[in-house]
Coordinates of all heavy atoms in Angstrom, one line a residue:
M1 N 23.7 -150.5 -55.8 CA 22.2 -150.8 -55.9 C 21.4 -149.5 -56.3 O 20.5 -149.7 -57.0 CB 21.8 -151.3 -54.5 CG 20.4 -152.0 -54.6 SD 20.5 -153.4 -55.7 CE 18.9 -154.1 -55.5
P2 N 21.8 -148.3 -55.9 CA 21.0 -147.2 -56.4 C 21.0 -147.0 -57.9 O 20.0 -146.6 -58.5 CB 21.7 -146.0 -55.7 CG 23.0 -146.4 -55.2 CD 22.9 -147.9 -55.0
W3 N 22.1 -147.4 -58.5 CA 22.1 -147.3 -60.0 C 21.2 -148.3 -60.7 O 20.6 -148.0 -61.7 CB 23.6 -147.4 -60.5 CG 24.3 -146.1 -60.4 CD1 25.3 -145.9 -59.4 CD2 24.2 -144.9 -61.1 NE1 25.7 -144.6 -59.6 CE2 25.1 -144.0 -60.6 CE3 23.4 -144.6 -62.2 CZ2 25.2 -142.7 -61.1 CZ3 23.5 -143.3 -62.8 CH2 24.4 -142.4 -62.2
V4 N 21.1 -149.5 -60.1 CA 20.2 -150.5 -60.6 C 18.7 -150.0 -60.4 O 17.9 -150.0 -61.4 CB 20.4 -151.8 -59.9 CG1 19.3 -152.8 -60.2 CG2 21.8 -152.4 -60.1
M5 N 18.4 -149.4 -59.2 CA 17.1 -148.9 -59.0 C 16.8 -147.8 -60.0 O 15.7 -147.7 -60.5 CB 16.9 -148.4 -57.6 CG 16.9 -149.5 -56.6 SD 16.5 -148.9 -54.9 CE 18.1 -148.2 -54.4
L6 N 17.8 -146.9 -60.2 CA 17.6 -145.8 -61.1 C 17.3 -146.3 -62.6 O 16.5 -145.7 -63.3 CB 18.8 -144.8 -61.0 CG 18.7 -143.5 -61.9 CD1 17.4 -142.7 -61.4 CD2 19.9 -142.7 -61.7
T7 N 18.1 -147.3 -63.0 CA 17.9 -147.8 -64.3 C 16.5 -148.4 -64.5 O 15.9 -148.2 -65.5 CB 19.0 -148.9 -64.6 OG1 20.3 -148.2 -64.5 CG2 18.9 -149.5 -66.0
V8 N 16.1 -149.2 -63.5 CA 14.8 -149.8 -63.6 C 13.7 -148.8 -63.6 O 12.7 -148.8 -64.3 CB 14.6 -150.9 -62.4 CG1 13.2 -151.4 -62.4 CG2 15.6 -152.0 -62.6
A9 N 13.9 -147.7 -62.8 CA 12.9 -146.6 -62.7 C 12.8 -146.0 -64.1 O 11.8 -145.6 -64.6 CB 13.4 -145.6 -61.7
G10 N 14.0 -145.8 -64.8 CA 14.0 -145.2 -66.1 C 13.3 -146.1 -67.1 O 12.5 -145.7 -68.0
L11 N 13.5 -147.4 -67.0 CA 12.8 -148.4 -67.9 C 11.3 -148.4 -67.7 O 10.5 -148.5 -68.6 CB 13.4 -149.8 -67.7 CG 14.9 -150.0 -68.1 CD1 15.4 -151.4 -67.7 CD2 15.1 -149.8 -69.6
L12 N 10.9 -148.2 -66.4 CA 9.5 -148.1 -66.1 C 8.9 -146.8 -66.7 O 7.7 -146.8 -67.0 CB 9.2 -148.3 -64.6 CG 9.4 -149.7 -64.1 CD1 9.4 -149.7 -62.6 CD2 8.2 -150.6 -64.6
E13 N 9.7 -145.8 -66.8 CA 9.2 -144.6 -67.4 C 8.9 -144.8 -68.8 O 7.9 -144.3 -69.3 CB 10.3 -143.4 -67.2 CG 9.7 -142.1 -67.7 CD 10.7 -141.0 -67.6 OE1 11.9 -141.2 -67.3 OE2 10.3 -139.9 -68.0
I14 N 9.7 -145.6 -69.5 CA 9.3 -146.0 -70.9 C 8.0 -146.7 -71.0 O 7.2 -146.4 -71.8 CB 10.5 -146.9 -71.5 CG1 11.8 -146.1 -71.5 CG2 10.1 -147.3 -72.9 CD1 13.0 -147.0 -71.7
V15 N 7.8 -147.6 -70.0 CA 6.6 -148.4 -70.0 C 5.4 -147.5 -69.8 O 4.4 -147.6 -70.5 CB 6.7 -149.5 -68.9 CG1 5.3 -150.2 -68.7 CG2 7.7 -150.5 -69.2
W16 N 5.5 -146.6 -68.8 CA 4.3 -145.8 -68.6 C 4.0 -144.8 -69.7 O 2.9 -144.5 -70.0 CB 4.3 -145.1 -67.2 CG 5.2 -144.0 -66.8 CD1 6.3 -144.2 -65.9 CD2 5.1 -142.7 -67.1 NE1 6.9 -143.0 -65.8 CE2 6.2 -142.0 -66.5 CE3 4.3 -141.9 -67.9 CZ2 6.4 -140.6 -66.6 CZ3 4.5 -140.5 -68.1 CH2 5.6 -139.9 -67.4
A17 N 5.1 -144.3 -70.3 CA 4.9 -143.4 -71.5 C 4.2 -144.1 -72.6 O 3.3 -143.6 -73.3 CB 6.2 -142.8 -71.9
Y18 N 4.6 -145.4 -72.9 CA 4.0 -146.2 -73.9 C 2.5 -146.4 -73.6 O 1.7 -146.2 -74.5 CB 4.8 -147.5 -74.1 CG 4.2 -148.4 -75.1 CD1 4.1 -148.1 -76.4 CD2 3.6 -149.6 -74.7 CE1 3.6 -149.0 -77.4 CE2 3.1 -150.5 -75.6 CZ 3.1 -150.2 -76.9 OH 2.5 -151.1 -77.8
Y19 N 2.3 -146.9 -72.4 CA 0.9 -147.2 -72.1 C 0.0 -145.9 -72.0 O -1.2 -145.9 -72.3 CB 0.8 -148.0 -70.8 CG 1.0 -149.5 -71.1 CD1 2.2 -150.0 -70.8 CD2 0.0 -150.2 -71.7 CE1 2.4 -151.4 -71.1 CE2 0.3 -151.5 -72.0 CZ 1.5 -152.1 -71.7 OH 1.7 -153.4 -72.0
M20 N 0.6 -144.8 -71.7 CA -0.1 -143.5 -71.7 C -0.6 -143.2 -73.1 O -1.7 -142.8 -73.4 CB 0.7 -142.4 -71.1 CG -0.1 -141.1 -71.0 SD 0.9 -139.7 -70.5 CE 1.1 -140.1 -68.8
K21 N 0.3 -143.5 -74.1 CA 0.0 -143.3 -75.5 C -1.2 -144.2 -75.9 O -2.1 -143.8 -76.5 CB 1.2 -143.5 -76.4 CG 0.9 -143.5 -77.8 CD 0.7 -142.1 -78.3 CE 0.6 -142.1 -79.9 NZ 0.2 -140.8 -80.3
L22 N -1.1 -145.5 -75.5 CA -2.1 -146.4 -75.8 C -3.4 -146.2 -75.1 O -4.5 -146.6 -75.6 CB -1.7 -147.9 -75.4 CG -0.5 -148.4 -76.2 CD1 -0.2 -149.9 -75.8 CD2 -0.6 -148.3 -77.7
S23 N -3.4 -145.4 -74.0 CA -4.6 -145.2 -73.2 C -5.6 -144.2 -73.9 O -6.7 -144.0 -73.5 CB -4.3 -144.6 -71.8 OG -3.9 -143.2 -71.9
D24 N -5.0 -143.5 -75.0 CA -5.9 -142.6 -75.8 C -6.5 -141.5 -74.9 O -7.7 -141.4 -74.8 CB -6.9 -143.4 -76.6 CG -7.5 -142.5 -77.7 OD1 -6.8 -141.6 -78.2 OD2 -8.7 -142.8 -78.1
G25 N -5.6 -140.8 -74.1 CA -6.1 -139.8 -73.3 C -6.8 -140.3 -72.0 O -7.8 -139.7 -71.6
F26 N -6.4 -141.5 -71.6 CA -7.0 -142.1 -70.4 C -8.4 -142.6 -70.6 O -9.2 -142.7 -69.7 CB -6.9 -141.3 -69.1 CG -5.5 -140.9 -68.8 CD1 -5.1 -139.6 -68.6 CD2 -4.5 -141.9 -68.6 CE1 -3.8 -139.3 -68.2 CE2 -3.2 -141.6 -68.2 CZ -2.9 -140.3 -68.0
S27 N -8.7 -142.8 -71.9 CA -10.1 -143.3 -72.2 C -10.2 -144.8 -72.3 O -11.3 -145.3 -72.4 CB -10.6 -142.6 -73.5 OG -9.8 -143.1 -74.6
K28 N -9.1 -145.5 -72.3 CA -9.1 -147.0 -72.3 C -8.6 -147.5 -71.0 O -7.5 -147.2 -70.5 CB -8.2 -147.5 -73.4 CG -8.7 -147.0 -74.8 CD -7.8 -147.5 -75.9 CE -8.4 -147.1 -77.3 NZ -7.4 -147.4 -78.3
P29 N -9.4 -148.3 -70.3 CA -9.1 -148.6 -68.9 C -7.8 -149.4 -68.7 O -7.1 -149.1 -67.8 CB -10.3 -149.5 -68.5 CG -11.4 -149.1 -69.4 CD -10.8 -148.7 -70.7
L30 N -7.6 -150.5 -69.4 CA -6.4 -151.3 -69.2 C -5.1 -150.5 -69.4 O -4.2 -150.6 -68.5 CB -6.5 -152.6 -69.9 CG -7.6 -153.6 -69.5 CD1 -7.5 -154.8 -70.3 CD2 -7.4 -153.9 -68.0
P31 N -4.9 -149.8 -70.5 CA -3.7 -149.1 -70.6 C -3.6 -147.9 -69.6 O -2.5 -147.6 -69.2 CB -3.8 -148.5 -72.1 CG -4.7 -149.4 -72.8 CD -5.7 -149.9 -71.8
T32 N -4.7 -147.4 -69.2 CA -4.7 -146.4 -68.1 C -4.2 -146.9 -66.8 O -3.3 -146.3 -66.2 CB -6.1 -145.7 -68.0 OG1 -6.5 -145.1 -69.2 CG2 -6.1 -144.7 -66.8
I33 N -4.7 -148.1 -66.5 CA -4.2 -148.8 -65.2 C -2.7 -149.1 -65.3 O -2.0 -148.8 -64.4 CB -5.1 -150.0 -64.9 CG1 -6.5 -149.6 -64.6 CG2 -4.4 -150.9 -63.8 CD1 -7.5 -150.8 -64.6
A34 N -2.3 -149.6 -66.5 CA -0.9 -150.0 -66.6 C 0.0 -148.7 -66.5 O 1.1 -148.7 -66.0 CB -0.7 -150.6 -68.0
T35 N -0.5 -147.6 -67.1 CA 0.2 -146.3 -67.0 C 0.5 -146.0 -65.5 O 1.6 -145.7 -65.1 CB -0.6 -145.2 -67.7 OG1 -0.8 -145.5 -69.0 CG2 0.1 -143.8 -67.5
F36 N -0.6 -146.0 -64.7 CA -0.4 -145.5 -63.3 C 0.4 -146.5 -62.5 O 1.1 -146.1 -61.6 CB -1.8 -145.2 -62.7 CG -2.3 -143.9 -63.3 CD1 -3.4 -143.9 -64.1 CD2 -1.8 -142.7 -63.0 CE1 -3.9 -142.7 -64.6 CE2 -2.2 -141.5 -63.5 CZ -3.3 -141.5 -64.3
V37 N 0.3 -147.8 -62.7 CA 1.0 -148.8 -62.0 C 2.5 -148.6 -62.3 O 3.4 -148.5 -61.4 CB 0.6 -150.2 -62.3 CG1 1.6 -151.3 -61.8 CG2 -0.8 -150.5 -61.7
A38 N 2.9 -148.5 -63.6 CA 4.3 -148.3 -64.0 C 4.8 -147.0 -63.5 O 5.9 -146.8 -63.0 CB 4.4 -148.4 -65.5
M39 N 3.9 -145.9 -63.5 CA 4.3 -144.6 -63.1 C 4.7 -144.6 -61.6 O 5.7 -144.1 -61.1 CB 3.2 -143.6 -63.4 CG 3.6 -142.2 -63.2 SD 2.2 -141.1 -63.6 CE 2.1 -141.3 -65.4
F40 N 3.8 -145.3 -60.8 CA 4.0 -145.3 -59.3 C 5.3 -146.1 -59.0 O 6.1 -145.6 -58.2 CB 2.8 -146.1 -58.7 CG 2.9 -146.2 -57.2 CD1 2.7 -145.1 -56.4 CD2 3.3 -147.4 -56.7 CE1 2.8 -145.3 -55.0 CE2 3.4 -147.6 -55.3 CZ 3.2 -146.5 -54.4
A41 N 5.5 -147.2 -59.7 CA 6.8 -148.0 -59.5 C 8.0 -147.2 -59.9 O 9.0 -147.2 -59.2 CB 6.7 -149.3 -60.2
S42 N 7.9 -146.5 -61.0 CA 9.0 -145.7 -61.5 C 9.4 -144.6 -60.5 O 10.5 -144.4 -60.2 CB 8.6 -145.1 -62.9 OG 9.7 -144.3 -63.4
F43 N 8.4 -143.8 -60.1 CA 8.6 -142.8 -59.1 C 9.2 -143.3 -57.8 O 10.0 -142.7 -57.2 CB 7.3 -142.0 -58.8 CG 7.0 -140.9 -59.9 CD1 5.9 -141.1 -60.6 CD2 7.8 -139.8 -60.1 CE1 5.5 -140.1 -61.6 CE2 7.5 -138.9 -61.0 CZ 6.4 -139.0 -61.8
G44 N 8.6 -144.4 -57.4 CA 9.1 -145.0 -56.1 C 10.6 -145.4 -56.2 O 11.3 -145.2 -55.3
L45 N 11.0 -146.1 -57.3 CA 12.4 -146.5 -57.4 C 13.3 -145.2 -57.6 O 14.4 -145.2 -57.1 CB 12.5 -147.4 -58.6 CG 12.0 -148.8 -58.4 CD1 12.0 -149.6 -59.7 CD2 12.8 -149.5 -57.3
L46 N 12.8 -144.2 -58.3 CA 13.5 -143.0 -58.4 C 13.8 -142.4 -57.0 O 14.9 -142.0 -56.7 CB 12.8 -142.0 -59.3 CG 13.4 -140.6 -59.4 CD1 14.8 -140.6 -60.0 CD2 12.5 -139.6 -60.2
A47 N 12.7 -142.3 -56.2 CA 12.9 -141.8 -54.8 C 13.9 -142.6 -54.0 O 14.7 -142.0 -53.3 CB 11.5 -141.8 -54.2
L48 N 13.9 -143.9 -54.1 CA 14.8 -144.7 -53.4 C 16.3 -144.5 -53.9 O 17.2 -144.4 -53.1 CB 14.5 -146.2 -53.5 CG 13.2 -146.6 -52.8 CD1 12.9 -148.1 -53.1 CD2 13.4 -146.4 -51.3
A49 N 16.4 -144.4 -55.2 CA 17.8 -144.1 -55.7 C 18.3 -142.7 -55.3 O 19.5 -142.6 -55.0 CB 17.7 -144.2 -57.3
M50 N 17.4 -141.8 -55.2 CA 17.8 -140.4 -54.8 C 18.3 -140.3 -53.4 O 18.9 -139.3 -53.0 CB 16.6 -139.4 -55.1 CG 16.4 -139.2 -56.5 SD 14.9 -138.1 -56.7 CE 15.7 -136.7 -57.4
K51 N 18.0 -141.3 -52.6 CA 18.5 -141.3 -51.2 C 20.0 -141.4 -51.2 O 20.7 -140.9 -50.3 CB 17.9 -142.5 -50.4 CG 16.4 -142.3 -50.1 CD 15.8 -143.6 -49.5 CE 16.1 -143.7 -48.0 NZ 15.4 -144.8 -47.4
Q52 N 20.6 -142.0 -52.3 CA 22.1 -142.1 -52.3 C 22.7 -141.4 -53.5 O 23.9 -141.2 -53.4 CB 22.4 -143.6 -52.4 CG 22.0 -144.4 -51.1 CD 22.3 -145.8 -51.3 OE1 23.3 -146.2 -51.8 NE2 21.4 -146.7 -50.8
L53 N 22.0 -141.0 -54.5 CA 22.5 -140.3 -55.6 C 22.1 -138.8 -55.6 O 21.1 -138.5 -55.1 CB 22.1 -141.0 -56.9 CG 22.4 -142.4 -57.1 CD1 21.8 -143.0 -58.3 CD2 24.0 -142.6 -57.2
P54 N 22.9 -138.0 -56.2 CA 22.6 -136.6 -56.3 C 21.3 -136.3 -57.1 O 21.0 -137.1 -58.1 CB 23.8 -135.9 -57.0 CG 24.9 -136.9 -56.9 CD 24.3 -138.3 -56.8
L55 N 20.6 -135.3 -56.8 CA 19.3 -135.0 -57.4 C 19.5 -134.8 -58.9 O 18.8 -135.4 -59.7 CB 18.7 -133.7 -56.8 CG 17.6 -133.0 -57.6 CD1 16.4 -133.9 -57.6 CD2 17.3 -131.6 -57.1
G56 N 20.4 -133.9 -59.3 CA 20.6 -133.6 -60.7 C 21.0 -134.9 -61.6 O 20.4 -135.1 -62.6
T57 N 21.9 -135.7 -61.0 CA 22.3 -136.9 -61.7 C 21.1 -137.9 -61.8 O 20.8 -138.4 -62.9 CB 23.4 -137.6 -61.0 OG1 24.5 -136.7 -60.9 CG2 23.9 -138.9 -61.6
S58 N 20.4 -138.1 -60.7 CA 19.3 -139.0 -60.7 C 18.2 -138.6 -61.7 O 17.8 -139.4 -62.5 CB 18.6 -139.1 -59.3 OG 19.6 -139.5 -58.4
Y59 N 17.8 -137.3 -61.7 CA 16.7 -136.9 -62.5 C 17.1 -136.9 -64.0 O 16.4 -137.3 -64.8 CB 16.3 -135.5 -62.1 CG 15.0 -135.1 -62.7 CD1 13.8 -135.7 -62.3 CD2 14.9 -134.2 -63.7 CE1 12.6 -135.4 -62.9 CE2 13.7 -133.9 -64.3 CZ 12.5 -134.5 -63.9 OH 11.4 -134.1 -64.5
M60 N 18.4 -136.5 -64.3 CA 18.8 -136.5 -65.7 C 18.9 -137.9 -66.2 O 18.4 -138.2 -67.3 CB 20.2 -135.8 -65.8 CG 20.6 -135.7 -67.2 SD 22.2 -134.9 -67.3 CE 22.5 -135.1 -69.0
V61 N 19.4 -138.8 -65.5 CA 19.5 -140.2 -65.9 C 18.1 -140.8 -66.1 O 17.8 -141.5 -67.1 CB 20.4 -141.1 -65.0 CG1 20.3 -142.6 -65.3 CG2 21.8 -140.6 -65.1
W62 N 17.2 -140.6 -65.1 CA 15.9 -141.1 -65.2 C 15.1 -140.6 -66.4 O 14.6 -141.4 -67.2 CB 15.1 -140.7 -63.9 CG 13.7 -141.2 -63.8 CD1 13.3 -142.5 -63.6 CD2 12.6 -140.4 -63.7 NE1 11.9 -142.5 -63.5 CE2 11.5 -141.2 -63.6 CE3 12.4 -139.0 -63.8 CZ2 10.2 -140.7 -63.5 CZ3 11.1 -138.5 -63.7 CH2 10.0 -139.3 -63.6
T63 N 15.1 -139.3 -66.6 CA 14.4 -138.7 -67.7 C 15.1 -139.1 -69.1 O 14.5 -139.3 -70.1 CB 14.3 -137.2 -67.6 OG1 15.6 -136.6 -67.5 CG2 13.4 -136.8 -66.5
G64 N 16.5 -139.2 -69.0 CA 17.2 -139.6 -70.2 C 16.9 -141.0 -70.7 O 16.6 -141.2 -71.9
I65 N 16.9 -141.9 -69.8 CA 16.5 -143.3 -70.1 C 15.1 -143.3 -70.7 O 14.8 -143.9 -71.7 CB 16.6 -144.2 -68.9 CG1 18.1 -144.4 -68.5 CG2 16.0 -145.6 -69.2 CD1 18.3 -145.1 -67.2
G66 N 14.2 -142.6 -70.0 CA 12.8 -142.5 -70.5 C 12.6 -141.9 -71.8 O 11.9 -142.4 -72.7
A67 N 13.3 -140.8 -72.0 CA 13.2 -140.1 -73.3 C 13.8 -140.9 -74.5 O 13.2 -141.1 -75.5 CB 14.0 -138.8 -73.3
L68 N 15.0 -141.5 -74.2 CA 15.6 -142.3 -75.3 C 14.8 -143.6 -75.5 O 14.6 -144.0 -76.7 CB 17.0 -142.7 -74.9 CG 18.0 -141.5 -75.0 CD1 19.4 -142.0 -74.4 CD2 18.2 -141.1 -76.5
G69 N 14.3 -144.2 -74.5 CA 13.5 -145.4 -74.6 C 12.2 -145.1 -75.3 O 11.8 -145.9 -76.2
A70 N 11.6 -144.1 -75.0 CA 10.3 -143.7 -75.6 C 10.5 -143.4 -77.1 O 9.7 -143.7 -78.0 CB 9.6 -142.5 -74.9
F71 N 11.7 -142.8 -77.4 CA 12.0 -142.5 -78.8 C 12.1 -143.8 -79.6 O 11.6 -144.0 -80.7 CB 13.4 -141.7 -78.8 CG 14.0 -141.5 -80.1 CD1 13.4 -140.6 -81.0 CD2 15.1 -142.2 -80.5 CE1 14.0 -140.4 -82.3 CE2 15.7 -142.1 -81.8 CZ 15.1 -141.1 -82.7
V72 N 12.8 -144.8 -79.0 CA 13.0 -146.1 -79.7 C 11.7 -146.8 -79.8 O 11.4 -147.4 -80.8 CB 14.1 -147.0 -78.9 CG1 14.1 -148.4 -79.5 CG2 15.4 -146.3 -79.0
V73 N 10.9 -146.9 -78.7 CA 9.6 -147.5 -78.7 C 8.7 -146.9 -79.8 O 8.0 -147.6 -80.5 CB 9.0 -147.5 -77.3 CG1 7.5 -147.9 -77.4 CG2 9.7 -148.4 -76.4
G74 N 8.7 -145.6 -79.9 CA 7.9 -144.8 -80.9 C 8.3 -145.3 -82.3 O 7.4 -145.5 -83.1
I75 N 9.6 -145.4 -82.5 CA 10.0 -145.9 -83.9 C 9.6 -147.3 -84.1 O 9.1 -147.7 -85.1 CB 11.5 -145.7 -84.0 CG1 11.8 -144.2 -84.1 CG2 12.1 -146.4 -85.2 CD1 13.3 -143.8 -83.9
V76 N 10.0 -148.2 -83.1 CA 9.9 -149.6 -83.4 C 8.4 -150.1 -83.3 O 8.0 -150.9 -84.1 CB 10.7 -150.4 -82.3 CG1 10.4 -151.9 -82.4 CG2 12.2 -150.1 -82.5
L77 N 7.7 -149.6 -82.3 CA 6.3 -150.1 -82.1 C 5.2 -149.2 -82.7 O 4.1 -149.7 -83.0 CB 6.0 -150.3 -80.6 CG 6.9 -151.4 -79.9 CD1 6.5 -151.5 -78.4 CD2 6.8 -152.7 -80.6
L78 N 5.5 -148.0 -82.8 CA 4.4 -147.0 -83.3 C 4.6 -146.5 -84.6 O 3.9 -145.7 -85.1 CB 4.2 -145.9 -82.2 CG 3.9 -146.4 -80.8 CD1 3.9 -145.2 -79.8 CD2 2.6 -147.1 -80.8
G79 N 5.7 -146.8 -85.3 CA 6.0 -146.4 -86.6 C 6.3 -144.9 -86.8 O 6.1 -144.3 -87.8
E80 N 6.9 -144.3 -85.7 CA 7.3 -142.9 -85.8 C 8.5 -142.7 -86.7 O 9.2 -143.6 -87.0 CB 7.5 -142.4 -84.4 CG 6.3 -142.4 -83.6 CD 6.5 -141.9 -82.1 OE1 7.7 -141.5 -81.8 OE2 5.5 -141.8 -81.4
A81 N 8.6 -141.5 -87.2 CA 9.6 -141.2 -88.2 C 11.1 -141.3 -87.7 O 11.3 -141.0 -86.5 CB 9.4 -139.8 -88.7
V82 N 11.9 -141.8 -88.6 CA 13.4 -141.8 -88.3 C 14.0 -140.9 -89.2 O 14.0 -141.1 -90.4 CB 14.0 -143.2 -88.5 CG1 15.5 -143.3 -88.2 CG2 13.2 -144.3 -87.7
T83 N 14.5 -139.8 -88.7 CA 15.2 -138.8 -89.5 C 16.6 -138.5 -89.0 O 16.9 -138.8 -87.8 CB 14.4 -137.4 -89.5 OG1 14.4 -136.9 -88.2 CG2 13.0 -137.6 -90.0
P84 N 17.5 -138.0 -89.8 CA 18.8 -137.7 -89.3 C 18.8 -136.8 -88.1 O 19.6 -136.9 -87.2 CB 19.5 -137.1 -90.5 CG 18.8 -137.7 -91.7 CD 17.4 -137.8 -91.2
L85 N 18.0 -135.8 -88.1 CA 18.0 -134.8 -87.1 C 17.5 -135.4 -85.7 O 18.0 -135.2 -84.7 CB 17.1 -133.6 -87.4 CG 17.3 -132.3 -86.6 CD1 18.7 -131.9 -86.6 CD2 16.4 -131.2 -87.2
R86 N 16.5 -136.3 -85.8 CA 16.0 -137.0 -84.6 C 17.0 -137.9 -84.1 O 17.2 -138.0 -82.9 CB 14.7 -137.7 -84.9 CG 13.5 -136.8 -85.2 CD 12.2 -137.6 -85.4 NE 11.7 -137.9 -84.1 CZ 11.0 -139.0 -83.7 NH1 10.7 -139.9 -84.6 NH2 10.6 -139.2 -82.5
L87 N 17.7 -138.6 -85.0 CA 18.8 -139.5 -84.5 C 19.9 -138.7 -83.9 O 20.5 -139.2 -82.9 CB 19.3 -140.4 -85.7 CG 18.3 -141.4 -86.2 CD1 18.9 -142.1 -87.5 CD2 18.0 -142.5 -85.2
T88 N 20.2 -137.6 -84.4 CA 21.3 -136.7 -83.8 C 20.9 -136.3 -82.5 O 21.7 -136.3 -81.5 CB 21.6 -135.5 -84.8 OG1 22.0 -136.0 -86.0 CG2 22.7 -134.6 -84.2
A89 N 19.7 -135.8 -82.3 CA 19.2 -135.4 -81.0 C 19.2 -136.5 -80.0 O 19.7 -136.3 -78.8 CB 17.7 -134.9 -81.1
A90 N 18.9 -137.7 -80.4 CA 18.9 -138.9 -79.5 C 20.4 -139.2 -79.1 O 20.7 -139.5 -78.0 CB 18.2 -140.1 -80.1
A91 N 21.3 -139.1 -80.1 CA 22.7 -139.4 -79.8 C 23.2 -138.3 -78.8 O 24.0 -138.7 -77.9 CB 23.5 -139.4 -81.1
M92 N 22.8 -137.1 -78.9 CA 23.2 -136.1 -78.0 C 22.7 -136.4 -76.6 O 23.5 -136.2 -75.6 CB 22.8 -134.7 -78.5 CG 23.5 -134.3 -79.8 SD 22.9 -132.7 -80.5 CE 23.5 -131.6 -79.3
L93 N 21.5 -136.8 -76.5 CA 21.0 -137.2 -75.2 C 21.8 -138.3 -74.6 O 22.1 -138.3 -73.4 CB 19.5 -137.6 -75.3 CG 18.5 -136.5 -75.3 CD1 17.1 -137.1 -75.6 CD2 18.4 -135.8 -73.9
L94 N 22.1 -139.3 -75.4 CA 22.8 -140.5 -74.9 C 24.2 -140.0 -74.4 O 24.7 -140.4 -73.4 CB 23.0 -141.5 -76.0 CG 23.8 -142.8 -75.6 CD1 23.1 -143.5 -74.4 CD2 23.8 -143.7 -76.8
G95 N 24.8 -139.1 -75.2 CA 26.2 -138.6 -74.8 C 26.1 -137.9 -73.5 O 27.0 -138.0 -72.6
G96 N 25.0 -137.1 -73.2 CA 24.8 -136.4 -72.0 C 24.7 -137.4 -70.8 O 25.2 -137.1 -69.7
L97 N 24.0 -138.5 -71.0 CA 23.8 -139.5 -70.0 C 25.1 -140.1 -69.6 O 25.4 -140.3 -68.5 CB 22.8 -140.5 -70.4 CG 21.3 -140.1 -70.5 CD1 20.5 -141.3 -71.1 CD2 20.8 -139.8 -69.1
V98 N 25.9 -140.5 -70.6 CA 27.2 -141.1 -70.4 C 28.1 -140.1 -69.6 O 28.8 -140.5 -68.6 CB 27.8 -141.5 -71.7 CG1 29.3 -142.0 -71.5 CG2 27.0 -142.7 -72.3
L99 N 28.1 -138.9 -70.0 CA 29.0 -137.9 -69.3 C 28.5 -137.7 -67.9 O 29.3 -137.6 -67.0 CB 28.9 -136.6 -70.1 CG 29.8 -136.5 -71.4 CD1 29.5 -135.2 -72.1 CD2 31.2 -136.7 -71.1
M100 N 27.2 -137.7 -67.7 CA 26.7 -137.5 -66.3 C 27.1 -138.7 -65.4 O 27.5 -138.5 -64.3 CB 25.2 -137.3 -66.3 CG 24.6 -137.0 -65.0 SD 25.2 -135.5 -64.2 CE 24.4 -134.3 -65.2
K101 N 27.0 -139.9 -66.0 CA 27.4 -141.1 -65.2 C 28.9 -141.0 -64.9 O 29.3 -141.3 -63.8 CB 27.1 -142.4 -66.0 CG 27.6 -143.6 -65.5 CD 27.1 -144.0 -64.1 CE 27.5 -145.4 -63.7 NZ 28.2 -145.5 -62.5
L102 N 29.7 -140.6 -65.9 CA 31.2 -140.5 -65.6 C 31.5 -139.5 -64.6 O 32.5 -139.6 -63.9 CB 31.9 -140.3 -67.0 CG 31.9 -141.4 -68.0 CD1 32.5 -140.9 -69.3 CD2 32.6 -142.6 -67.5
A103 N 30.7 -138.4 -64.6 CA 31.0 -137.3 -63.6 C 30.5 -137.7 -62.2 O 30.9 -137.0 -61.3 CB 30.2 -136.1 -64.1
S104 N 29.8 -138.7 -62.0 CA 29.3 -139.1 -60.7 C 30.3 -139.9 -59.9 O 30.9 -140.8 -60.3 CB 28.0 -139.8 -60.8 OG 27.0 -139.0 -61.3

C-alpha cells in the first residue's frame, strides 16, 4: 500500500504543477485553489508512504513521477518543445526511478 500512496502522491504532484502554471502566479482563483488542494493531498500521501518507505526512495520517486509527468503534460497540453536532449534527460530520470524501485 505505501507504493500505491507514493504513486498517487506523485500523480498529484503533476496536477498541482500544472494548475500552478495555469494560475498565472496565483492570480487566477480557481487554478490557485486546485494547486493548493492537489498539493496538500500530494504531501499528505507522501507523508503516509514515508512511514513505511525510506526517505531517499520516497522523495526520489515522488519528485521523479512529478518531474516526468510535468514534462509530458508540458509537451502534450502546453505545447512545450520536444528535443532529443530533453527526451534523453527524461529517459535518464525514468531509468533512475526504475533503479531506485529495484533497489528498495
Side-chain angles (χ1 to χ4, degrees):
M1 196 64 173
W3 281 103
V4 172
M5 288 186 286
L6 185 59
T7 301
V8 174
L11 294 173
L12 285 167
E13 187 181 3
I14 300 164
V15 172
W16 70 253
Y18 175 67
Y19 279 104
M20 184 183 290
K21 175 72 173 170
L22 296 183
S23 78
D24 197 28
F26 301 126
S27 65
K28 296 179 180 175
L30 292 179
T32 298
I33 291 167
T35 298
F36 286 110
V37 168
M39 194 179 285
F40 179 78
S42 179
F43 280 114
L45 287 170
L46 174 63
L48 291 174
M50 288 175 117
K51 291 172 81 172
Q52 297 178 39
L53 298 173
L55 167 68
T57 301
S58 300
Y59 193 72
M60 183 178 175
V61 170
W62 180 68
T63 57
I65 291 170
L68 288 171
F71 172 74
V72 171
V73 166
I75 290 169
V76 173
L77 298 179
L78 302 174
E80 294 178 359
V82 179
T83 66
L85 198 53
R86 290 185 83 210
L87 292 173
T88 300
M92 291 173 72
L93 276 171
L94 180 59
L97 288 173
V98 170
L99 286 174
M100 186 60 75
K101 171 65 172 123
L102 292 174
S104 294

